[in-house]
Amino acid sequence: MAPMEENVVVSNLELEKLFSMKGGKGEASYANNSQAQAIHAKSMIHFLRETLDKVKLGGGGGGGGGGDKAFVVADLGCSCGSNTINVVNVIINHINKRYEALGCNPPEFSAYFSDLPSNDFNTLFQLLPPLANGVSMEECLAADNQRSYFVAGVPGSFYRRLFPARSVDVFHSAFSLHWLSKIPESVLDKKSIAYNKGKVFIHGANESTANAYKRQFKTDLASFLSARSVEMKREGSMFLVCLGRTSVDPTEQGGAGVLFGTHFQDAWDDLVQEGLISSTKRDNFNIPVYAPSMQDFKEVVEANGSFVINKLEVFKGGSPLVLNKPDDANEVGRALANSCRTVCGVLVDAHIGDNLSEELFLRVERRATNRAKELLEKLQFFHIVASLSFSQ
């Protein structure tokens, strides 16, 4: 059978304009498939509060720099669900309590929600409660249906500058820094030893392919830190969480490897074997994700030199699947397919078109359903958790 693929190619130049978690409020949307991230974030909230305690507060009525400036929080890679709103609430509530403990009036608060231009900011802003006007901070914080801070959306890549110099007190980024700014060119070059032939992810790939991803991750993280070193106030702090791994071998990608390197990979192979796409079409698609080791992360921070590491560890987050009936294989299969589709469905749609994308994820679901018990045992995420502030 001749391949039925659509002639759609996503270049690295288009990736930034295209990529996002799946928007809207449908079954495979991020808004309806980010409960696991919420659970994992809640389990790490004590680390976040420790980071917030590192922020040096100014006098009464002032932000980190004192005076009458607002206290500014920025969530980078916010996506379009309620998780980002919840974490901003935690940050602002904690800082407000610190001001109260000092006997100072809290400043005004401002929150920036930032992600790539293709992010579904409309859905995010619809989830925001209204700003409380003419209400005290204490009354506002006690109410669940009002917010105590001003809001702005900031579209752009966090691997570049996004904010004015020395303007942000707290940077937060969770479950985003493992996404690379681009696929390493050598991975897509048939003449390169790093060419990722036959695979759509680096899990189980050859050493050259994995090292290309590793170098790209380090380049990207270095760019991220350089930008934040200009934007963050000297008294501020930064809390970062991304997918991580416990193995020193970069081809062993842990939970990310199970998510993208097993049933998802096999579904692509199915399309090739069934004649729906060519092997070249499959090989030109790669998931731009790298789960670093703690050493990978540490090396970049130390090479940058701007920040001191207050905390850096690998934290077991658990499964990315939230299930009502874990014994129901059909629910497991559907949950895995939705999880994959939520985070990379936009890229798949652009690469092979909507119709073949639907076929792909049906095969992911079918395969995951048939191996549900094994999948639940193996699919466990680890996270790199980092708390950084400026070197003195």
Side-chain angles (χ1 to χ4, degrees):
M1 177 185 293
M4 295 168 54
E5 64 198 51
E6 296 182 27
N7 187 24
V8 184
V9 177
V10 180
S11 69
N12 276 328
L13 294 175
E14 295 174 308
L15 185 59
E16 181 178 324
K17 296 179 180 179
L18 170 76
F19 180 60
S20 68
M21 300 295 102
K22 197 164 185 66
K25 298 178 181 179
E27 182 182 356
S29 68
Y30 183 82
N32 287 326
N33 287 275
S34 53
Q35 299 94 329
Q37 289 91 326
I39 293 170
H40 296 182
K42 188 174 182 180
S43 69
M44 293 181 278
I45 202 167
H46 57 293
F47 293 139
L48 172 58
R49 290 186 171 125
E50 288 175 7
T51 299
L52 298 176
D53 287 337
K54 297 287 184 182
V55 179
K56 297 175 184 177
L57 303 182
D68 58 356
K69 296 180 180 178
F71 189 99
V72 177
V73 177
D75 189 28
L76 307 181
C78 63
S79 195
C80 54
S82 60
N83 291 345
T84 183
I85 299 170
N86 293 337
V87 78
V88 165
N89 288 339
V90 167
I91 293 170
I92 290 175
N93 287 355
H94 189 86
I95 294 298
N96 184 68
K97 288 178 181 177
R98 285 192 60 201
Y99 272 105
E100 288 180 349
L102 293 172
C104 299
N105 292 325
E108 291 185 318
F109 291 96
S110 180
Y112 293 122
F113 296 96
S114 181
D115 213 315
L116 294 174
S118 48
N119 184 57
D120 186 1
F121 284 102
N122 286 336
T123 292
L124 172 60
F125 291 152
Q126 287 169 9
L127 295 172
L128 283 167
L131 177 66
N133 290 311
V135 178
S136 70
M137 178 66 72
E138 291 75 13
E139 292 174 314
C140 185
L141 291 172
D144 292 331
N145 60 345
Q146 293 179 315
R147 60 182 162 87
S148 58
Y149 52 91
F150 297 95
V151 167
V154 181
S157 170
F158 55 36
Y159 294 127
R160 294 194 297 271
R161 285 282 306 277
L162 292 166
F163 306 98
R166 303 288 173 254
S167 63
V168 178
D169 292 276
V170 173
F171 277 110
H172 175 275
S173 181
F175 317 121
S176 298
L177 279 167
H178 48 265
W179 288 100
L180 304 178
S181 65
K182 64 178 184 177
I183 301 295
E185 293 178 4
S186 59
V187 171
L188 300 173
D189 182 359
K190 291 183 178 181
K191 299 178 181 179
S192 169
I193 59 174
Y195 182 54
N196 202 20
K197 183 175 177 58
K199 294 186 178 296
V200 296
F201 189 47
I202 60 166
H203 188 71
N206 69 54
E207 184 178 355
S208 296
T209 304
N211 285 335
Y213 266 73
K214 181 178 180 177
R215 286 192 297 272
Q216 186 62 51
F217 170 80
K218 287 189 169 185
T219 298
D220 286 343
L221 182 58
S223 297
F224 176 93
L225 294 176
S226 294
R228 305 297 84 77
S229 71
V230 177
E231 298 166 344
M232 194 168 82
K233 295 180 184 178
R234 298 300 305 180
E235 305 84 359
S237 286
M238 184 157 46
F239 183 74
L240 309 175
V241 179
C242 70
L243 285 182
R245 68 177 196 274
T246 55
S247 172
V248 296
D249 182 358
T251 68
E252 292 294 331
Q253 285 284 294
V258 177
L259 186 65
F260 297 123
T262 56
H263 306 301
F264 182 71
Q265 171 71 56
D266 292 340
W268 281 92
D269 295 341
D270 288 342
L271 294 186
V272 173
Q273 292 166 10
E274 294 169 32
L276 297 177
I277 64 172
S278 67
S279 60
T280 300
K281 191 70 173 179
R282 174 199 58 200
D283 297 348
N284 283 339
F285 181 88
N286 280 263
I287 294 290
V289 164
Y290 179 80
S293 67
M294 193 163 64
Q295 187 62 28
D296 290 339
F297 203 100
K298 183 179 180 181
E299 287 174 358
V300 179
V301 177
E302 291 180 342
N304 172 270
S306 298
F307 300 98
V308 62
I309 298 173
N310 300 314
K311 181 179 287 294
L312 179 63
E313 63 180 72
V314 177
F315 184 83
K316 185 175 182 180
S319 173
L321 306 183
V322 178
L323 304 163
N324 294 319
K325 298 177 181 179
D327 294 333
D328 185 343
N330 290 321
E331 183 183 353
V332 173
R334 186 165 56 253
L336 182 84
N338 283 339
S339 183
C340 285
R341 195 164 203 166
T342 295
V343 298
C344 68
V346 170
L347 297 180
V348 176
D349 291 351
H351 191 73
I352 58 176
D354 294 350
N355 292 335
L356 283 172
S357 178
E358 185 68 29
E359 293 294 326
L360 177 80
F361 288 108
L362 284 173
R363 285 157 179 76
V364 173
E365 180 176 345
R366 187 183 309 139
R367 284 182 166 277
T369 298
N370 292 335
R371 306 293 291 273
K373 185 177 180 180
E374 178 186 358
L375 178 64
L376 289 180
E377 292 173 354
K378 292 184 176 180
L379 187 55
Q380 298 292 320
F381 277 178
F382 287 85
H383 304 293
I384 300 291
V385 181
S387 173
L388 309 178
S389 55
F390 275 119
S391 303
Q392 298 301 316

